[in-house]
Amino acid sequence: MRTHFCGLVDESLIGQSVTLCGWADVARDLGGLCFIDLRDHEGIVQVVAEPTDEGNAEVMAAAAQVGYEDCLRITGTVRARHSVNDKIKTGRVEVVATKIEVLNKAEPLPFHAHENPGEDIRLQYRYLDLRTPAMQRKMRTRTKLVAALRRYLDERGFQDIETPILTKATPEGARDFLVPARMHPGEFYALPQSPQLFKQILMMAGFDRYYQIARCFRDEALRADRQLEFTQLDMEFAWVSERDVQDTVEDMIRVVFREVIGVELDAQFPRMTFEEAMRRYGSDKPDLRIAMEFTDIAELVKQCEFKVFTDWANHEDGRVIALRAPGAASLSRKQIDDYAAYAGKFGAKGLAWMKVEDTAKGREGISSPIAKFIDDETLAAILESTGAQSGDAIFFGAATYKTASDFMGALRLKLGKDLNLVEAGWRPLWVTDFPMFEWDEDEGRYVALHHPFTAPAVDSIDDLRANAKTAVSRGYDMVLNGNEIGGGSIRIHNSKMQSAVFDLLGIGAEEAEAKFGFLLDALKYGAPPHGGIAFGIDRIAALMAGTESIRDVIAFPKTTTAQCTMTGAPSPIPDAQLAEVHVAVRETPKA
């Protein structure tokens, strides 16, 4: 139907006849002269309909009837433009129409491509949203990313192997999506949260280096960087240590960023332990573009008269944090109250603060509702330890170690963005040495911080049992600008150690056999040391495209209420269809 793409018409085609197909991005009738900006996935080119010696009445009449987003086929001759438009690739040429065909007339649209109608409308009419140049650019970035990843791995001997979508439910992590098995009444498949166990089995089967662009599913609450179904680059290596995996994928990420968006990342990514990341930044995925760091002041305030500080400073699991915010003394009381409310979303019971208006004036240069409870010596020590200068503010967090770290970490990020303290550029790092377990108060048991197949940093089962609370895993995450883009670990390759970890997680021998018997068996038959990592394709694509929401780089995402407003999914299923898969729907009890 066409000879060329709109966005690829250039000066090399001057004097030639071309046939183009696309949508009318703009149509202007200037009375005797009509301009149409014709758009396809490659870009826009200007089409001109003008009178000729023969009149050209048919072309002029067709051009005058063209409306916004009409689907067109236009034949014409390429010529140089009188007024160059450097904002578009085709800005030095235009096409003089000799024939204009309306292939499909567009009805009035619910929104204009150059408007921002809100995400709900965009997702309802996703086909129109995806037509926009901005969304076309973002989706093309994703395509280039996946192609670059495949190219890198294919060239280095990794095998692309598909693993099952219909698999077995697991007892750990987010909820599984369940699929009724029609041929096995009362039994269910689960959609995979990841290909974790299958890729480990592949290492035991001798494939050595595996990868897959895998679709994964987790029935969990949504936010800007999370979806019910998502795509990850899944990788596994046999006969490796942590550094073997890290060095390979670090090089891969450097190459891919260079090829896709022309960015040069650090020649060597820095490494930071989980403990250091939490101590300095209150996050296991710290954004190093923000220079602000925590100062622990528990030792300074153990004897002060501010009870919140003294209680937590003397608590076995307490933490008292000071965070200096440069230039924040200009914040109003309402703004500070808003920050307190924000910190409350992450567990803060309150937010103490000081404005350092003039360090030369000592106490008189401090504005704070808590300063009267702190003696001069302690106040001076706080200013010195935080490095506070005139014009700064100091925010304080006091709670359990985890809670204080969580809400002060969230506050650090918000202050950094609001105060324009986020440096430009890309700051990758590795976070390592994660805790093996977390204690779940609600369930009264340990849960795996990564997953139950992560190897501990000890070889002895007795050591692991005796020190479960403080045990460190062989897990590692790659972080970029405050986003975890990849997470992995060295896996357990010993059946007895795997059984011991299951036991510590409250998975008894009978349950372990029922759910993971195939894995425990496979580990007995010469399983090699192995490890791997998975990268979030959606998250990396969003970073490359310069958007905060992964929904902008997923063709058909779900809303924050886990719905597809375009198709109306999820939707009720007829009783007859449910009966075929031996499922009945129960009414939700009214509150």
Side-chain angles (χ1 to χ4, degrees):
M1 290 188 71
R2 62 188 171 195
T3 62
H4 296 80
F5 292 109
C6 298
L8 300 183
V9 177
D10 60 21
E11 291 170 288
S12 69
L13 297 173
I14 289 176
Q16 296 185 32
S17 177
V18 297
T19 298
L20 310 173
C21 293
W23 289 271
D25 192 73
V26 174
R28 304 182 300 277
D29 185 350
L30 303 184
L33 195 65
C34 294
F35 292 92
I36 300 167
D37 286 350
L38 192 66
R39 185 189 74 246
D40 64 13
H41 78 285
E42 289 286 359
I44 289 175
V45 66
Q46 179 172 280
V47 175
V48 183
E50 58 188 17
T52 64
D53 293 340
E54 292 76 24
N56 209 22
E58 186 177 341
V59 170
M60 297 300 295
Q65 297 302 312
V66 170
Y68 176 56
E69 290 299 297
D70 283 355
C71 195
L72 308 174
R73 179 166 65 176
I74 297 177
T75 298
T77 303
V78 181
R79 74 180 181 191
R81 282 182 64 159
H82 297 298
S83 56
V84 172
N85 181 359
D86 289 327
K87 294 181 180 179
I88 58 175
K89 290 187 297 182
T90 62
R92 295 184 175 275
V93 295
E94 61 189 6
V95 176
V96 182
T98 56
K99 185 176 183 180
I100 297 176
E101 301 172 74
V102 179
L103 302 177
N104 203 342
K105 190 76 178 170
E107 295 185 5
L109 273 64
F111 65 91
H112 193 284
H114 303 290
E115 297 174 344
N116 185 3
E119 191 173 63
D120 289 346
I121 295 295
R122 290 175 55 208
L123 293 182
Q124 183 178 352
Y125 298 96
R126 189 61 164 179
Y127 39 87
L128 297 179
D129 186 41
L130 288 171
R131 256 189 228 171
T132 63
M135 286 301 297
Q136 290 275 320
R137 283 193 297 272
K138 290 171 184 175
M139 294 304 298
R140 183 163 290 194
T141 297
R142 182 192 179 105
T143 298
K144 291 179 180 178
L145 165 63
V146 172
L149 290 168
R150 286 191 182 279
R151 186 163 54 248
Y152 182 95
L153 295 169
D154 290 343
E155 290 172 356
R156 287 159 181 81
F158 284 80
Q159 295 190 65
D160 181 0
I161 302 175
E162 294 179 344
T163 54
I165 291 295
L166 296 176
T167 183
K168 193 167 188 171
T170 60
E172 289 292 316
R175 292 185 177 92
D176 289 315
F177 278 102
L178 301 178
V179 179
R182 182 181 61 83
M183 292 183 289
H184 300 275
E187 297 182 353
F188 295 80
Y189 300 104
L191 302 183
Q193 295 183 32
S194 83
Q196 181 62 43
L197 296 182
F198 290 105
K199 66 179 181 178
Q200 288 189 241
I201 295 291
L202 287 170
M203 295 305 100
M204 300 169 204
F207 285 96
D208 202 89
R209 285 188 162 198
Y210 142 96
Y211 87 94
Q212 181 183 186
I213 306 296
R215 293 292 285 170
C216 303
F217 308 85
R218 292 180 187 172
D219 190 2
E220 58 186 4
L222 303 190
R223 54 178 187 248
D225 65 347
R226 185 170 291 173
Q227 283 279 297
L228 299 178
E229 51 183 318
F230 55 96
T231 306
Q232 65 185 37
L233 167 62
D234 213 57
M235 302 173 66
E236 199 77 4
F237 308 64
W239 317 103
V240 289
S241 66
E242 293 90 328
R243 196 66 186 237
D244 296 324
V245 176
Q246 292 166 12
D247 287 349
T248 298
V249 299
E250 184 178 312
D251 181 65
M252 177 187 73
I253 291 297
R254 271 195 297 269
V255 169
V256 166
F257 267 75
R258 183 185 308 126
E259 289 185 1
V260 177
I261 58 173
V263 165
E264 289 290 342
L265 297 178
D266 293 348
Q268 182 72 52
F269 293 4
R271 280 165 169 75
M272 184 181 299
T273 66
F274 172 87
E275 185 278 328
E276 182 184 357
M278 296 304 294
R279 174 170 50 82
R280 294 172 62 185
Y281 305 108
S283 171
D284 60 0
K285 49 181 186 294
D287 190 340
L288 300 185
R289 296 173 302 165
I290 301 172
M292 291 187 293
E293 294 190 25
F294 294 164
T295 302
D296 282 288
I297 60 168
E299 292 300 320
L300 301 179
V301 298
K302 279 187 173 181
Q303 306 301 323
C304 79
E305 295 181 16
F306 189 49
K307 190 172 185 301
V308 174
F309 283 3
T310 55
D311 284 353
W312 288 111
N314 290 283
H315 190 282
E316 181 184 6
D317 189 36
R319 187 177 194 190
V320 185
I321 297 168
L323 177 65
R324 171 196 165 218
S330 60
L331 293 172
S332 68
R333 183 59 187 267
K334 181 184 182 305
Q335 287 174 307
I336 291 175
D337 288 344
D338 288 343
Y339 283 121
Y342 180 80
K345 297 177 182 178
F346 299 88
K349 301 297 184 185
L351 186 66
W353 54 272
M354 286 182 183
K355 290 184 180 183
V356 185
E357 294 170 345
D358 190 345
T359 56
K361 293 182 179 179
R363 177 179 294 275
E364 298 305 315
I366 302 294
S367 172
S368 171
I370 67 167
K372 61 187 176 183
F373 300 110
I374 300 175
D375 62 71
D376 290 348
E377 183 180 352
T378 302
L379 192 60
I382 290 172
L383 295 178
E384 181 181 0
S385 63
T386 59
Q389 304 293 317
S390 298
D392 295 345
I394 304 173
F395 293 90
F396 300 92
T400 63
Y401 194 96
K402 184 179 186 309
T403 300
S405 300
D406 286 349
F407 73 74
M408 290 298 286
L411 179 65
R412 172 182 173 272
L413 292 177
K414 184 162 180 59
L415 284 167
K417 292 176 182 176
D418 292 351
L419 300 175
N420 296 316
L421 298 175
V422 182
E423 299 172 0
W426 301 86
R427 297 291 302 276
L429 79 153
W430 285 104
V431 177
T432 65
D433 300 321
F434 283 82
M436 186 75 182
F437 307 112
E438 281 184 313
W439 182 256
D440 189 311
E441 292 289 348
D442 294 334
E443 296 192 25
R445 67 179 183 93
Y446 286 114
V447 295
L449 196 69
H450 268 81
H451 55 61
F453 318 107
T454 297
V458 296
D459 295 323
S460 165
I461 292 173
D462 291 340
D463 283 350
L464 180 63
R465 290 188 185 279
N467 302 289
K469 184 176 181 181
T470 58
V472 172
S473 78
R474 298 177 69 181
Y476 38 81
D477 285 356
M478 185 184 287
V479 176
L480 182 61
N481 290 2
N483 297 272
E484 178 207 328
I485 62 170
S489 67
I490 298 300
R491 322 302 189 188
I492 298 168
H493 67 279
N494 177 279
S495 182
K496 291 180 180 178
M497 177 63 81
Q498 185 65 78
S499 293
V501 169
F502 285 155
D503 186 52
L504 284 166
L505 293 171
I507 303 173
E510 188 174 331
E511 182 183 4
E513 181 60 33
K515 299 199 171 187
F516 303 110
F518 66 96
L519 174 68
L520 295 171
D521 284 345
L523 290 171
K524 297 174 184 176
Y525 298 114
H530 59 283
I533 194 166
F535 286 94
I537 296 290
D538 310 309
R539 198 167 296 175
I540 296 174
L543 286 169
M544 286 181 162
T547 180
E548 293 188 359
S549 174
I550 63 171
R551 289 191 287 275
D552 284 342
V553 292
I554 298 173
F556 302 104
K558 303 294 185 292
T559 66
T560 52
T561 56
Q563 295 173 297
C564 175
T565 52
M566 185 184 75
T567 63
S571 59
I573 299 296
D575 289 342
Q577 192 173 349
L578 289 174
E580 283 187 357
V581 293
H582 319 287
V583 170
V585 177
R586 290 193 312 183
E587 292 268 344
T588 302
K590 293 183 179 179

